[in-house]
Amino acid sequence: MKHRTVITLLGAATLALALGSAGCSTGRVTNQNQPGPQIGNAVGTAAGAVAGNVAGAAVGVVEGGARAAGSAFTPQPTRIIRHWREEKQPDGRTIHVPVDYLVDEHGRIIKEVPPGTAFR
């Protein structure tokens, strides 16, 4: 039984030493002036950039889809405004004719409302 305990303790100590030394590196171990590490860093940077952009694109698609789906159920604030157009009659009179428009929250015209249906 003592033999197994020693092997288990030795294995645990080796594992702890390996994990501890792997995570404690604060500086670079290799010579960065050599082409191998430079190529490795360039490839790692490119792979990280590609993976980051792919993840960002996926998140953007999901958030955009969620916002688009949500906006379908949110009523957009609209209102009707009335403009007056002058028309010349055949007998020479000038009259004002109302023209109603549906506009968005910024006052941009969406469409003209047919006469007589604006304020029902």
Side-chain angles (χ1 to χ4, degrees), residues 30-38:
T30 59
N31 183 358
Q32 294 299 309
N33 294 326
Q34 296 298 319
Q38 289 179 352

Side-chain angles (χ1 to χ4, degrees), residues 57-85:
V59 168
V61 166
V62 170
E63 287 180 354
R67 184 170 294 176
S71 70
F73 300 105
T74 305
Q76 300 299 318
T78 57
R79 58 188 173 159
I80 295 181
I81 61 169
R82 177 169 281 173
H83 285 239
W84 296 88
R85 182 178 66 222

Side-chain angles (χ1 to χ4, degrees), residues 28-53:
R28 302 219 182 238
V29 179
T30 59
N31 183 358
Q32 294 299 309
N33 294 326
Q34 296 298 319
Q38 289 179 352
I39 292 172
N41 286 338
V43 169
T45 300
V50 168
N53 285 335

Side-chain angles (χ1 to χ4, degrees), residues 93-104:
R93 294 179 298 143
T94 302
I95 63 170
H96 294 282
V97 178
V99 180
D100 298 324
Y101 295 101
L102 182 66
V103 296
D104 64 3

Side-chain angles (χ1 to χ4, degrees), residues 79 102-111:
R79 58 188 173 159
L102 182 66
V103 296
D104 64 3
E105 66 271 9
H106 300 294
R108 294 181 297 230
I109 295 175
I110 297 172
K111 67 177 182 176

